[in-house]
Amino acid sequence: MYWDRDKECMDREELEQTQFERLQSTLNRVYAHVPFYRKKFDREGITPESVESLSDIVRLPFTTKEDVLANYPYGLFAVPLREIVRIHSSSSTTGTSVVGYTRNDLKTWSSLVARVLTAGGVTKDDVVQVSLGYGLFTGGFGLHYGAERVGASVIPASSGNTARQIQIMRDFKTTALVSTPSYAMLIADTIREMGIPVSALSLRYGLFGAEPWSERMRQRIQEALGIIATDNYGISAVLGPGIAGECMERKGLHLHEDHFLAEVIDPETLKPLPAGEQGELVLTTLTKEAFPMIRYRTRDLTRLLPENCRCGRTGRRMSRVTGRTDDMLIIRGVNVFPSQVESLLHEVAGGESAFQLVVDRKGPMDEATLLVEAGADPSFEWERRQTGVLAEAIRKRLAHDLGIALEVKLAGEGTLERVEGKVRRVVDRRML
Amino acid sequence: MLRIRNLEAGYGRLKVLRKVSMHINPGEIVTVIGANGAGKTTLLRTVSGLLNGKGGEILFEKRDLRNEPPERIVFLGCSLVPEGRQVFAPMTVRENLVLGSYVQYRRKRKAEAEEDLERIFGLFPRLKERERQLAGTLSGGEQQMLAIGRSLLSRPRLLLLDEPSMGLAPLVAKEIFRHISSLRKDLGLTILLVEQNARAALGIAERGYVLETGRVVLQGPSEELLANRDVQRAYLGVDLNGNR
């Protein structure tokens, strides 16, 4: 099943011509309307005209998350604010990034999500429960409008309150679940604990994204919920969900190449890698009006699969994202950088302190513990530590700034595991 | 059917087209819109061989047209309806049309040429009515029909139309656009339409390209371009508050 057969199965020659035309017009627009890109291109002596083929993209500079943060809030918009009809954003301690969409962007977005949903089995006869956060996060709204576009009956359940989610699922006869894979695991476990047989549910499909997962996890979810589970990929700075999605073959995610140009680079040398080799995914938008992105470094590790897919789609596939090039961790769907933890610790404890973030998954959800070593710094007040006040202060501060509750434990000096004299900051014991 | 990549063209030292790329699939109507001086006519003149491009490629059914003379390009099946009609005023309607059959006569297909002529009269009954009249005495709309009819007589597969609605009263322009639409339906033609009347052109085309000072700044399905605020303001006469 295809949502837009002509586009999804376009022959490669026409696809590449279309990509090139769209790349040229995108470059003409960002050069004329976004000072950030104009300055960056000028500095490197590049004009839109110096790109004469798709492979010339490598001559353009990268755009990073730091660039997006530095242009907060509207610096990278290519159209005046009055043409923006939707704003989303994501926050971290390093800053907040803001993305905008025009009316056309929203139409394109929902049609791309409709492709993902259709490839994952959803039709207009389905009842789709969107259990992703609605709000500034692109996930909930992105999937919601795509599902409406397909014509399905959409339940905006949002995230949280698992018992109620399950009640809705049973009473409303949900046939397709849209969530993060770990939340699907939690739902599966809760259903079992509540003693509800899977046969009491009408679920047939699950469409999961927003965090890395594994083939093993897919098998477990499929068995526990009796569904076909597909993976989909998106990143807010580029669009949100709808950039790539798996078809029924479940052997990699089809990129929507008529709307995005995908490269995989070596994160160290920044040179493009041949198809099939693992590296960092770099994306360029080809049709976005409000927030075009040129060579955005996603920091997500994947590889482009060179073979054609049996489903007939001509869009190349990327393998599931296996990790990040920076040390970012995703804990319960929240992005956490050890560097953020470090700077927060510094503020709360008033000095350098060695720490270790231990992440595990015993039940369905991630459990994270932060071990903080009592440093040599005299400002570490032993008494406060003894009473647990400091641990509590750190916990509160992390919960406030990172939006995630970690268990905080204080450890004696020199007790944390060291590799070549350095404390291992992250110990990820999760078996995905 | 037509694939253009990085086309550069101009007059003397004046650069008009700056790396323009576009394509047309068989059976499509594609429009190029843009303001005066954006390079629309230069584009059609370069494709039809009246002007030599300076760089890039123009592939018509996989054959590079860049060094072909104009008459050869007509022969290959790509015909231009020029801006301002360019009918031969002191000749009759019939004589003008017969000139368009030159390609068929060269191929010694006189009988077919005469059949084609009757077909054109079928498509444009007004031309039949004025068959013996001098072309210079026709109204603007009729002259446009004549110019289109003359181009069709070379039996093109791709028709290039340069501002067919220019200088026509709105109702007449509407009739011309209706005719253009039916050319595809009735004759299976592929059409590249260059227009200043963006609303009408996007109304009959599947896709469009927006040309600004020789560069493509936007392209996409017609309904997307019609919904784009820059297009609305610059070419559809919509003010900043969204009023027409």
Side-chain angles (χ1 to χ4, degrees):
Chain A
M1 280 289 285
Y2 309 103
W3 172 250
D4 190 346
R5 195 187 168 142
D6 291 352
K7 304 279 163 44
E8 293 175 70
C9 303
M10 200 189 282
D11 73 69
R12 289 300 302 187
E13 195 188 321
E14 191 190 344
L15 177 63
E16 281 168 21
Q17 170 80 15
T18 302
Q19 285 185 309
F20 181 57
E21 289 171 10
R22 292 177 167 179
L23 175 64
Q24 272 186 326
S25 69
T26 298
L27 292 176
N28 282 331
R29 271 180 292 125
V30 300
Y31 192 73
H33 302 308
V34 187
F36 165 80
Y37 286 113
R38 176 189 283 267
K39 274 186 221 142
K40 220 165 168 174
F41 288 10
D42 284 348
R43 213 179 305 136
E44 314 228 347
I46 294 167
T47 64
E49 273 115 272
S50 27
V51 174
E52 298 188 323
S53 67
L54 285 175
S55 50
D56 277 351
I57 184 119
V58 300
R59 303 176 54 189
L60 299 173
F62 293 105
T63 307
T64 61
K65 182 180 174 226
E66 289 67 41
D67 292 325
V68 178
L69 297 179
N71 285 282
Y72 174 85
Y74 300 139
L76 293 183
F77 284 22
V79 301
L81 201 53
R82 62 185 311 161
E83 292 175 26
I84 301 286
V85 292
R86 177 94 67 78
I87 292 168
H88 281 287
S89 130
S90 63
S91 297
S92 63
T93 38
T94 49
T96 303
S97 53
V98 177
V99 293
Y101 305 79
T102 64
R103 224 171 265 290
N104 274 340
D105 288 334
L106 288 187
K107 251 181 81 184
T108 305
W109 189 14
S110 60
S111 73
L112 294 181
V113 173
R115 287 189 195 178
V116 167
L117 290 164
T118 307
V122 175
T123 69
K124 62 179 169 43
D125 299 324
D126 279 293
V127 178
V128 179
Q129 184 164 338
V130 181
S131 304
L132 286 169
Y134 280 65
L136 288 174
F137 172 52
T138 51
F141 279 101
L143 264 309
H144 179 100
Y145 282 97
E148 277 194 2
R149 186 72 173 272
V150 169
S153 314
V154 190
I155 308 168
S158 197
S159 51
N161 199 344
T162 312
R164 171 136 179 80
Q165 295 269 3
I166 292 165
Q167 191 193 345
I168 290 171
M169 203 171 280
R170 193 161 61 164
D171 295 353
F172 296 10
K173 302 189 177 6
T174 301
T175 59
L177 172 66
V178 171
S179 71
T180 60
S182 57
Y183 197 62
M185 289 290 299
L186 178 66
I187 286 177
D189 287 0
T190 314
I191 286 172
R192 206 181 45 236
E193 281 161 22
M194 290 165 80
I196 300 170
V198 175
S199 57
L201 302 174
S202 314
L203 275 186
R204 293 164 62 210
Y205 300 108
L207 294 103
F208 307 120
E211 65 184 20
W213 52 315
S214 65
E215 210 44 49
R216 233 177 59 127
M217 236 175 119
R218 189 210 305 265
Q219 296 306 334
R220 284 169 60 195
I221 295 172
Q222 292 194 143
E223 278 160 30
L225 293 174
I227 57 172
I228 292 177
T230 51
D231 190 10
N232 64 78
Y233 176 80
I235 183 162
S236 290
V238 177
L239 177 78
I243 294 171
E246 275 185 328
C247 62
M248 286 294 149
E249 299 287 326
R250 282 163 282 167
K251 297 224 170 76
L253 299 83
H254 288 279
L255 283 153
H256 299 143
E257 289 190 274
D258 49 338
H259 294 269
F260 306 97
L261 202 62
E263 303 166 76
V264 168
I265 62 160
D266 180 328
E268 298 294 320
T269 66
L270 306 182
K271 294 271 182 286
L273 289 172
E277 277 186 41
Q278 167 143 318
E280 180 180 338
L281 180 67
V282 171
L283 292 170
T284 298
T285 66
L286 298 175
T287 51
K288 274 180 83 188
E289 295 180 347
F291 198 77
M293 259 296 154
I294 307 298
R295 297 194 90 199
Y296 184 72
R297 291 189 59 183
T298 64
R299 309 280 173 180
D300 287 319
L301 286 172
T302 185
R303 57 199 181 89
L304 296 177
L305 307 177
E307 316 85 31
N308 292 329
C309 183
R310 289 218 317 241
C311 74
R313 287 178 180 80
T314 50
R316 272 183 306 172
R317 288 164 301 157
M318 57 183 251
S319 68
R320 58 167 75 245
V321 170
T322 50
R324 304 267 309 170
T325 60
D326 49 26
D327 51 1
M328 188 182 91
L329 280 163
I330 302 181
I331 303 172
R332 278 172 249 149
V334 177
N335 301 347
V336 178
F337 291 91
S339 54
Q340 294 173 333
V341 174
E342 180 183 22
S343 63
L344 288 173
L345 264 184
H346 192 94
E347 283 176 37
V348 181
E352 295 290 329
S353 29
F355 67 91
Q356 189 172 59
L357 195 51
V358 183
V359 196
D360 204 351
R361 186 178 286 169
K362 296 210 176 77
M365 298 300 272
D366 299 326
E367 287 167 17
T369 308
L370 181 70
L371 300 171
V372 184
E373 238 179 44
D377 197 300
S379 67
F380 245 99
E381 293 163 61
W382 184 252
E383 283 176 25
R384 280 174 70 196
R385 237 185 304 134
Q386 291 291 52
T387 57
V389 176
L390 181 62
E392 180 59 17
I394 294 171
R395 199 192 62 77
K396 272 195 177 150
R397 185 64 196 273
L398 292 176
H400 179 264
D401 282 32
L402 299 178
I404 183 164
L406 304 174
E407 194 186 337
V408 178
K409 283 183 184 162
L410 297 174
E413 193 180 348
T415 57
L416 293 180
E417 182 188 347
R418 280 169 167 78
V419 180
E420 289 169 6
K422 275 185 173 164
V423 172
R424 271 181 68 193
R425 285 186 157 184
V426 173
V427 177
D428 197 341
R429 297 205 184 107
R430 287 176 293 189
M431 296 290 288
L432 292 178
Chain B
M1 173 166 253
L2 184 73
R3 202 186 87 176
I4 298 172
R5 274 173 87 95
N6 295 321
L7 185 64
E8 292 177 294
Y11 307 92
R13 286 171 61 190
L14 178 70
K15 265 195 196 171
V16 178
L17 299 181
R18 295 159 185 271
K19 300 244 164 83
V20 168
S21 303
M22 57 177 62
H23 75 283
I24 308 172
N25 294 320
E28 272 190 312
I29 298 182
V30 171
T31 184
V32 176
I33 60 175
N36 264 330
K40 304 188 299 297
T41 295
T42 304
L43 174 71
L44 290 194
R45 285 174 59 86
T46 315
V47 173
S48 53
L50 296 170
L51 186 70
N52 281 331
K54 291 199 171 65
E57 60 177 24
I58 306 169
L59 293 181
F60 175 60
E61 296 176 335
K62 315 236 159 168
R63 184 195 293 260
D64 196 351
L65 296 186
R66 267 209 40 234
N67 295 310
E68 301 284 2
E71 65 276 13
R72 176 85 191 135
I73 291 171
V74 175
F75 226 87
L76 291 170
C78 174
S79 185
L80 170 73
V81 182
E83 186 178 9
R85 359 267 185 228
Q86 313 291 347
V87 296
F88 299 99
M91 294 165 77
T92 66
V93 167
R94 189 184 179 89
E95 286 164 344
N96 266 281
L97 289 171
V98 169
L99 278 171
S101 304
Y102 174 78
V103 171
Q104 288 295 83
Y105 280 99
R106 277 286 297 276
R107 286 181 174 139
K108 312 251 186 284
R109 290 186 186 150
K110 191 166 174 238
E112 278 104 322
E114 266 157 29
E115 266 171 43
D116 287 353
L117 191 62
E118 287 312 312
R119 253 199 339 186
I120 297 302
F121 283 143
L123 282 174
F124 301 104
R126 296 270 283 286
L127 296 182
K128 176 75 182 162
E129 286 165 28
R130 307 198 186 291
E131 190 180 340
R132 313 261 161 227
Q133 211 170 304
L134 294 183
T137 65
L138 298 181
S139 72
E142 290 162 350
Q143 287 192 4
Q144 188 61 55
M145 290 177 203
L146 178 56
I148 294 173
R150 186 180 56 189
S151 277
L152 292 178
L153 280 163
S154 68
R155 288 206 166 185
R157 288 183 302 284
L158 173 65
L159 194 66
L160 312 173
L161 285 157
D162 195 354
E163 305 260 7
S165 78
M166 193 165 74
L168 300 183
L171 267 178
V172 183
K174 218 171 156 184
E175 197 188 339
I176 293 294
F177 280 112
R178 219 177 29 243
H179 274 299
I180 295 169
S181 232
S182 63
L183 287 180
R184 173 188 31 198
K185 217 168 66 229
D186 300 341
L187 304 176
L189 275 177
T190 305
I191 294 167
L192 176 56
L193 170 65
V194 154
E195 257 298 333
Q196 278 206 58
N197 186 345
R199 193 183 300 278
L202 290 169
I204 63 166
E206 274 89 46
R207 295 188 295 119
Y209 293 86
V210 180
L211 212 52
E212 231 174 75
T213 57
R215 298 179 182 90
V216 176
V217 292
L218 270 175
Q219 53 83 48
S222 298
E223 65 272 17
E224 245 169 61
L225 293 180
L226 284 167
N228 181 285
R229 293 286 285 270
D230 283 337
V231 173
Q232 291 182 349
R233 259 198 314 275
Y235 310 108
L236 304 177
V238 177
D239 71 18
L240 279 170
N241 294 316
N243 305 310
R244 280 231 219 145

